[in-house]
Amino acid sequence: YYSPFVTRLGGPGCPPSCNDGLWFSIPGNCPSMSFDGKTQDCNLRMPGGLCNDVHLLGISGASCTYFIEEAGEITLTELVGSRSDFWSGRYDRDRCASRMSEVQRLFKLHYP
């Protein structure tokens, strides 16, 4: 089974300096079935690539290919606040850098 989802790099017209979002497609369990229709049998036959231990990555014979850990979160409300012009200048290098700086500032505030 090959996933129809692919990694996407930036939006159309987004210059490399814009730091547009990245979309990743990672192999989850039983990808050929809908989220709520996954059976135990399918989960056993197609477990996906998630490692439950980061130390398994790269180990010969391990069937997992990636590890996920929660890093934290900030809300859009915190980020944007009441500023209606926050997203203005989407492709402006300085505005993009300013938005990314604000994301990093808030993240460090919550997760020092």
Side-chain angles (χ1 to χ4, degrees):
Y1 175 79
Y2 290 98
S3 172
F5 305 103
V6 296
T7 300
R8 305 271 185 215
L9 301 173
C14 184
S17 60
C18 193
N19 294 317
D20 204 12
L22 297 177
W23 294 78
F24 295 94
S25 177
I26 52 179
N29 61 321
C30 208
S32 62
M33 300 184 92
S34 65
F35 182 77
D36 58 351
K38 298 178 183 197
T39 64
Q40 186 175 2
D41 177 61
C42 185
N43 287 331
L44 290 172
R45 287 184 296 108
M46 301 171 78
L50 178 62
C51 285
N52 58 6
D53 181 347
V54 70
H55 299 100
L56 291 174
L57 289 173
I59 299 292
S60 179
S63 61
C64 58
T65 57
Y66 65 93
F67 177 78
I68 297 175
E69 65 182 345
E70 226 176 279
E73 63 185 49
I74 58 172
T75 67
L76 280 174
T77 302
E78 285 179 286
L79 181 62
V80 175
S82 60
R83 296 173 289 177
S84 61
D85 67 339
F86 183 84
W87 300 111
S88 297
R90 179 173 180 199
Y91 300 121
D92 179 273
R93 177 184 225 141
D94 293 333
R95 296 289 303 264
C96 288
S98 175
R99 287 188 286 268
M100 286 305 297
S101 292
E102 182 63 7
V103 167
Q104 292 169 344
R105 184 191 73 76
L106 285 169
F107 202 86
K108 287 178 184 173
L109 178 70
H110 291 291
Y111 309 97

